[in-house]
Structure formats: structure tokens, C-alpha cells
Amino acid sequence: SQQGEEDPQALSIQEGENATMNCSYKTSINNLQWYRQNSGRGLVHLILIRSNEREKHSGRLRVTLDTSKKSSSLLITASRAADTASYFCATDGFYNQGGKLIFGQGTELSVKP
Amino acid sequence: GAGVSQTPSNKVTEKGKYVELRCDPISGHTALYWYRQSLGQGPEFLIYFQGTGAADDSGLPNDRFFAVRPEGSVSTLKIQRTERGDSAVYLCASSLTRGGGRYNEQFFGPGTRLTVL
């Protein structure tokens, strides 16, 4: 079963707007990561947030983590057409051996120029 | 190279054939992971290596799938008697840390798109 579930499944916005994607998970985690994927190929690591962190920033990205609700959000500010991609959250379960990642089904973001 | 590389980038085969997919991790990364991604889905874990040994192969779907990493660097994913349902993008990732700890950033290769006709 999927550990992470992203919401919404698809999001379409205009360039310059902010995009917010949410992720929920089921079990305790060590950390949560967000990845971007273009055209169904390799994933690009965006940001990692540890279980004892609540918020993290990287450029135009802002990630929050609420371990009590087992949820995370990714905010992309001032979106650009180049941000068009699929975005996945991934968790490594606290009781995992080896840190294998469990991915959600992703949010497909479309930024229109 | 600077990143994880995978070969071939595309592989088309016939049902029942044997295929090998190769992954070259980032130099010095001791942890190596294989994932499989079907269309419209997120990647699903297959197997994890720490050094030369398969530390967790719980994601392999059946005994037709096997992976090796004989020298602790390059890994090969082997699929016997391929079926149409094996068609997917196979992704490899490597990590500097062992994983299961507090830091587990995985760097992904571009993937191999396998099509079984």
C-alpha cells in the first residue's frame, strides 16, 4: 500500500501564482522528502525535512511537516512554466531497515504561461 | 560521472525473454536502490543494497526478478521470462548514507524504460 498520498492529483495554475501540494502518510517516519519528475523519467530531489523539523525553505520552495497529523505540504511560490512536472512526496518509515523510500502517487502540476 | 547513470535508456523485448538493466551509482555511495514506476504511479521499491549484499529485497514481485552488486558499485537488475506486466520505468538511486537514519537523500538515475511486447 502507498505510504504517501498526494493531494490534489492534478493542479493547473497561471505563471506567477503559488502552488500548494499536500501529502499524507500512515506510519512514523525518520524524514520526508519531496521529488520532482519531468516526463516520467528521473526524479530530482527537492528538499528533505526531518521528523523533528516543522518547516524548511529552499529558494521558492517551502515545506512544512506536521507529524501529529502525519502530513506535509509543499509550496512553490511565484511559479514558472518550468515548474510544470509531477511532484512526489516520499517517506522512509521509522522502522524501515535501510531507508527505502515509499512514494505517493504524485501531484501533476501544470503552470500555464 | 557526476550522477547516477542507467543503461540502456530504453529496452524493448518480447514476452518470455531475459533482460538485464544496469545501474552505475555515484562514486562512493554505498547504498543502492532499485524502484519500478508504472505509468501514472509513484515509484515502488524493489530492492536495496548496502555494499555488495542485498539488505532488503522485499519489494521484488516474484522470483523472476533478481539483482546483483558483486563489487559494491555497479548493480544489475535481471528479469527472467519477461511478461507484459513488467513494462515500466526502472529507476536506480544511490545514497551516501546507510539509510534508516536521519539522513537519506537518494539521487536517482534517468531510468530504463522497459517495454515487453
Side-chain angles (χ1 to χ4, degrees), chain B residues 11-34:
Chain B
K11 176 70 177 179
V12 180
T13 190
E14 294 179 343
K15 178 183 174 183
K17 299 290 187 181
Y18 167 82
V19 297
E20 289 189 352
L21 311 179
R22 176 187 167 108
C23 172
D24 275 277
I26 293 172
S27 178
H29 281 194
T30 56
L32 185 146
Y33 306 80
W34 284 98

mmCIF file of all heavy atoms in Angstrom, chain B residues 11-34:
data_model
loop_
_atom_site.group_PDB
_atom_site.id
_atom_site.type_symbol
_atom_site.label_atom_id
_atom_site.label_comp_id
_atom_site.label_asym_id
_atom_site.label_seq_id
_atom_site.Cartn_x
_atom_site.Cartn_y
_atom_site.Cartn_z
ATOM 1 N N LYS B 11 14.494 -0.190 -23.477
ATOM 2 C CA LYS B 11 14.672 -1.594 -23.836
ATOM 3 C C LYS B 11 13.322 -2.158 -24.252
ATOM 4 O O LYS B 11 12.357 -2.108 -23.489
ATOM 5 C CB LYS B 11 15.232 -2.383 -22.645
ATOM 6 C CG LYS B 11 15.362 -3.878 -22.870
ATOM 7 C CD LYS B 11 16.452 -4.192 -23.859
ATOM 8 C CE LYS B 11 16.632 -5.703 -24.030
ATOM 9 N NZ LYS B 11 17.697 -6.025 -25.026
ATOM 10 N N VAL B 12 13.281 -2.674 -25.467
ATOM 11 C CA VAL B 12 12.074 -3.326 -25.964
ATOM 12 C C VAL B 12 12.393 -4.797 -26.121
ATOM 13 O O VAL B 12 13.395 -5.151 -26.750
ATOM 14 C CB VAL B 12 11.606 -2.731 -27.304
ATOM 15 C CG1 VAL B 12 10.337 -3.447 -27.786
ATOM 16 C CG2 VAL B 12 11.344 -1.239 -27.167
ATOM 17 N N THR B 13 11.571 -5.640 -25.558
ATOM 18 C CA THR B 13 11.816 -7.070 -25.630
ATOM 19 C C THR B 13 10.500 -7.803 -25.847
ATOM 20 O O THR B 13 9.424 -7.212 -25.760
ATOM 21 C CB THR B 13 12.512 -7.570 -24.352
ATOM 22 O OG1 THR B 13 12.951 -8.923 -24.554
ATOM 23 C CG2 THR B 13 11.542 -7.552 -23.175
ATOM 24 N N GLU B 14 10.618 -9.073 -26.153
ATOM 25 C CA GLU B 14 9.424 -9.883 -26.363
ATOM 26 C C GLU B 14 9.109 -10.675 -25.106
ATOM 27 O O GLU B 14 10.018 -11.055 -24.351
ATOM 28 C CB GLU B 14 9.636 -10.824 -27.553
ATOM 29 C CG GLU B 14 9.777 -10.101 -28.879
ATOM 30 C CD GLU B 14 10.004 -11.074 -30.023
ATOM 31 O OE1 GLU B 14 10.364 -12.235 -29.760
ATOM 32 O OE2 GLU B 14 9.822 -10.661 -31.177
ATOM 33 N N LYS B 15 7.878 -10.948 -24.923
ATOM 34 C CA LYS B 15 7.442 -11.755 -23.792
ATOM 35 C C LYS B 15 8.231 -13.057 -23.740
ATOM 36 O O LYS B 15 8.444 -13.718 -24.757
ATOM 37 C CB LYS B 15 5.952 -12.054 -23.931
ATOM 38 C CG LYS B 15 5.382 -12.921 -22.831
ATOM 39 C CD LYS B 15 3.907 -13.228 -23.099
ATOM 40 C CE LYS B 15 3.390 -14.217 -22.077
ATOM 41 N NZ LYS B 15 1.985 -14.595 -22.331
ATOM 42 N N GLY B 16 8.691 -13.391 -22.534
ATOM 43 C CA GLY B 16 9.435 -14.623 -22.355
ATOM 44 C C GLY B 16 10.944 -14.456 -22.417
ATOM 45 O O GLY B 16 11.689 -15.362 -22.017
ATOM 46 N N LYS B 17 11.413 -13.301 -22.880
ATOM 47 C CA LYS B 17 12.850 -13.076 -22.984
ATOM 48 C C LYS B 17 13.447 -12.653 -21.641
ATOM 49 O O LYS B 17 12.748 -12.259 -20.711
ATOM 50 C CB LYS B 17 13.140 -11.999 -24.032
ATOM 51 C CG LYS B 17 12.684 -12.347 -25.433
ATOM 52 C CD LYS B 17 13.525 -13.455 -26.031
ATOM 53 C CE LYS B 17 13.153 -13.657 -27.489
ATOM 54 N NZ LYS B 17 13.933 -14.760 -28.107
ATOM 55 N N TYR B 18 14.776 -12.700 -21.611
ATOM 56 C CA TYR B 18 15.537 -12.308 -20.426
ATOM 57 C C TYR B 18 16.142 -10.928 -20.665
ATOM 58 O O TYR B 18 16.629 -10.647 -21.765
ATOM 59 C CB TYR B 18 16.626 -13.356 -20.198
ATOM 60 C CG TYR B 18 17.698 -12.987 -19.212
ATOM 61 C CD1 TYR B 18 17.504 -13.146 -17.846
ATOM 62 C CD2 TYR B 18 18.934 -12.496 -19.651
ATOM 63 C CE1 TYR B 18 18.500 -12.837 -16.935
ATOM 64 C CE2 TYR B 18 19.934 -12.180 -18.755
ATOM 65 C CZ TYR B 18 19.717 -12.361 -17.395
ATOM 66 O OH TYR B 18 20.702 -12.048 -16.500
ATOM 67 N N VAL B 19 16.101 -10.054 -19.647
ATOM 68 C CA VAL B 19 16.696 -8.731 -19.794
ATOM 69 C C VAL B 19 17.573 -8.400 -18.588
ATOM 70 O O VAL B 19 17.349 -8.905 -17.476
ATOM 71 C CB VAL B 19 15.632 -7.630 -19.976
ATOM 72 C CG1 VAL B 19 14.837 -7.832 -21.249
ATOM 73 C CG2 VAL B 19 14.731 -7.532 -18.759
ATOM 74 N N GLU B 20 18.554 -7.562 -18.846
ATOM 75 C CA GLU B 20 19.413 -7.044 -17.787
ATOM 76 C C GLU B 20 19.432 -5.536 -17.867
ATOM 77 O O GLU B 20 19.626 -4.956 -18.938
ATOM 78 C CB GLU B 20 20.845 -7.574 -17.935
ATOM 79 C CG GLU B 20 21.000 -9.035 -17.625
ATOM 80 C CD GLU B 20 22.462 -9.456 -17.579
ATOM 81 O OE1 GLU B 20 23.333 -8.633 -17.937
ATOM 82 O OE2 GLU B 20 22.739 -10.607 -17.183
ATOM 83 N N LEU B 21 19.269 -4.905 -16.730
ATOM 84 C CA LEU B 21 19.299 -3.452 -16.653
ATOM 85 C C LEU B 21 20.448 -3.067 -15.722
ATOM 86 O O LEU B 21 20.592 -3.641 -14.643
ATOM 87 C CB LEU B 21 17.967 -2.919 -16.090
ATOM 88 C CG LEU B 21 16.689 -3.468 -16.746
ATOM 89 C CD1 LEU B 21 15.462 -2.875 -16.060
ATOM 90 C CD2 LEU B 21 16.668 -3.204 -18.224
ATOM 91 N N ARG B 22 21.209 -2.076 -16.143
ATOM 92 C CA ARG B 22 22.426 -1.733 -15.406
ATOM 93 C C ARG B 22 22.312 -0.372 -14.733
ATOM 94 O O ARG B 22 21.702 0.552 -15.284
ATOM 95 C CB ARG B 22 23.608 -1.740 -16.376
ATOM 96 C CG ARG B 22 24.942 -1.314 -15.779
ATOM 97 C CD ARG B 22 26.006 -1.190 -16.849
ATOM 98 N NE ARG B 22 27.188 -0.510 -16.354
ATOM 99 C CZ ARG B 22 28.345 -1.145 -16.119
ATOM 100 N NH1 ARG B 22 28.463 -2.443 -16.330
ATOM 101 N NH2 ARG B 22 29.391 -0.465 -15.684
ATOM 102 N N CYS B 23 22.929 -0.279 -13.574
ATOM 103 C CA CYS B 23 22.960 0.980 -12.834
ATOM 104 C C CYS B 23 24.374 1.263 -12.346
ATOM 105 O O CYS B 23 25.004 0.405 -11.717
ATOM 106 C CB CYS B 23 22.020 0.907 -11.626
ATOM 107 S SG CYS B 23 22.154 2.323 -10.506
ATOM 108 N N ASP B 24 24.856 2.469 -12.641
ATOM 109 C CA ASP B 24 26.137 2.948 -12.123
ATOM 110 C C ASP B 24 25.867 4.038 -11.093
ATOM 111 O O ASP B 24 25.451 5.131 -11.461
ATOM 112 C CB ASP B 24 26.995 3.533 -13.252
ATOM 113 C CG ASP B 24 27.789 2.500 -13.977
ATOM 114 O OD1 ASP B 24 28.869 2.151 -13.483
ATOM 115 O OD2 ASP B 24 27.311 2.051 -15.031
ATOM 116 N N PRO B 25 26.112 3.756 -9.836
ATOM 117 C CA PRO B 25 25.778 4.759 -8.816
ATOM 118 C C PRO B 25 26.832 5.864 -8.758
ATOM 119 O O PRO B 25 27.874 5.776 -9.420
ATOM 120 C CB PRO B 25 25.796 3.941 -7.530
ATOM 121 C CG PRO B 25 26.833 2.881 -7.793
ATOM 122 C CD PRO B 25 26.692 2.547 -9.255
ATOM 123 N N ILE B 26 26.560 6.854 -7.968
ATOM 124 C CA ILE B 26 27.542 7.910 -7.724
ATOM 125 C C ILE B 26 28.719 7.305 -6.968
ATOM 126 O O ILE B 26 28.525 6.520 -6.028
ATOM 127 C CB ILE B 26 26.907 9.059 -6.921
ATOM 128 C CG1 ILE B 26 25.839 9.751 -7.790
ATOM 129 C CG2 ILE B 26 27.954 10.055 -6.457
ATOM 130 C CD1 ILE B 26 25.011 10.784 -7.060
ATOM 131 N N SER B 27 29.908 7.648 -7.400
ATOM 132 C CA SER B 27 31.105 7.083 -6.804
ATOM 133 C C SER B 27 31.131 7.338 -5.299
ATOM 134 O O SER B 27 30.922 8.461 -4.834
ATOM 135 C CB SER B 27 32.345 7.716 -7.450
ATOM 136 O OG SER B 27 33.520 7.220 -6.855
ATOM 137 N N GLY B 28 31.380 6.263 -4.556
ATOM 138 C CA GLY B 28 31.468 6.399 -3.108
ATOM 139 C C GLY B 28 30.166 6.154 -2.372
ATOM 140 O O GLY B 28 30.155 6.020 -1.148
ATOM 141 N N HIS B 29 29.060 6.071 -3.120
ATOM 142 C CA HIS B 29 27.773 5.802 -2.476
ATOM 143 C C HIS B 29 27.673 4.310 -2.167
ATOM 144 O O HIS B 29 27.741 3.473 -3.053
ATOM 145 C CB HIS B 29 26.620 6.238 -3.371
ATOM 146 C CG HIS B 29 26.367 7.701 -3.331
ATOM 147 N ND1 HIS B 29 25.206 8.266 -3.835
ATOM 148 C CD2 HIS B 29 27.104 8.728 -2.834
ATOM 149 C CE1 HIS B 29 25.244 9.573 -3.651
ATOM 150 N NE2 HIS B 29 26.399 9.879 -3.054
ATOM 151 N N THR B 30 27.472 3.998 -0.905
ATOM 152 C CA THR B 30 27.438 2.597 -0.507
ATOM 153 C C THR B 30 26.048 1.982 -0.629
ATOM 154 O O THR B 30 25.904 0.787 -0.775
ATOM 155 C CB THR B 30 27.914 2.448 0.949
ATOM 156 O OG1 THR B 30 27.097 3.279 1.792
ATOM 157 C CG2 THR B 30 29.374 2.862 1.084
ATOM 158 N N ALA B 31 25.032 2.808 -0.563
ATOM 159 C CA ALA B 31 23.660 2.300 -0.655
ATOM 160 C C ALA B 31 23.133 2.461 -2.071
ATOM 161 O O ALA B 31 23.325 3.503 -2.700
ATOM 162 C CB ALA B 31 22.754 3.037 0.330
ATOM 163 N N LEU B 32 22.473 1.426 -2.565
ATOM 164 C CA LEU B 32 21.912 1.453 -3.920
ATOM 165 C C LEU B 32 20.510 0.862 -3.886
ATOM 166 O O LEU B 32 20.279 -0.165 -3.235
ATOM 167 C CB LEU B 32 22.804 0.664 -4.888
ATOM 168 C CG LEU B 32 22.412 0.691 -6.369
ATOM 169 C CD1 LEU B 32 23.670 0.661 -7.250
ATOM 170 C CD2 LEU B 32 21.462 -0.423 -6.738
ATOM 171 N N TYR B 33 19.596 1.511 -4.575
ATOM 172 C CA TYR B 33 18.185 1.127 -4.546
ATOM 173 C C TYR B 33 17.657 0.957 -5.970
ATOM 174 O O TYR B 33 18.017 1.718 -6.871
ATOM 175 C CB TYR B 33 17.343 2.204 -3.866
ATOM 176 C CG TYR B 33 17.790 2.600 -2.483
ATOM 177 C CD1 TYR B 33 18.848 3.482 -2.297
ATOM 178 C CD2 TYR B 33 17.157 2.096 -1.351
ATOM 179 C CE1 TYR B 33 19.266 3.855 -1.026
ATOM 180 C CE2 TYR B 33 17.558 2.473 -0.075
ATOM 181 C CZ TYR B 33 18.607 3.350 0.083
ATOM 182 O OH TYR B 33 19.013 3.712 1.348
ATOM 183 N N TRP B 34 16.783 -0.003 -6.140
ATOM 184 C CA TRP B 34 16.028 -0.151 -7.386
ATOM 185 C C TRP B 34 14.548 0.090 -7.089
ATOM 186 O O TRP B 34 14.013 -0.426 -6.084
ATOM 187 C CB TRP B 34 16.194 -1.551 -7.978
ATOM 188 C CG TRP B 34 17.495 -1.819 -8.667
ATOM 189 C CD1 TRP B 34 18.585 -2.452 -8.165
ATOM 190 C CD2 TRP B 34 17.820 -1.480 -10.029
ATOM 191 N NE1 TRP B 34 19.573 -2.528 -9.116
ATOM 192 C CE2 TRP B 34 19.130 -1.938 -10.263
ATOM 193 C CE3 TRP B 34 17.135 -0.840 -11.065
ATOM 194 C CZ2 TRP B 34 19.778 -1.783 -11.493
ATOM 195 C CZ3 TRP B 34 17.776 -0.688 -12.279
ATOM 196 C CH2 TRP B 34 19.069 -1.145 -12.478
#
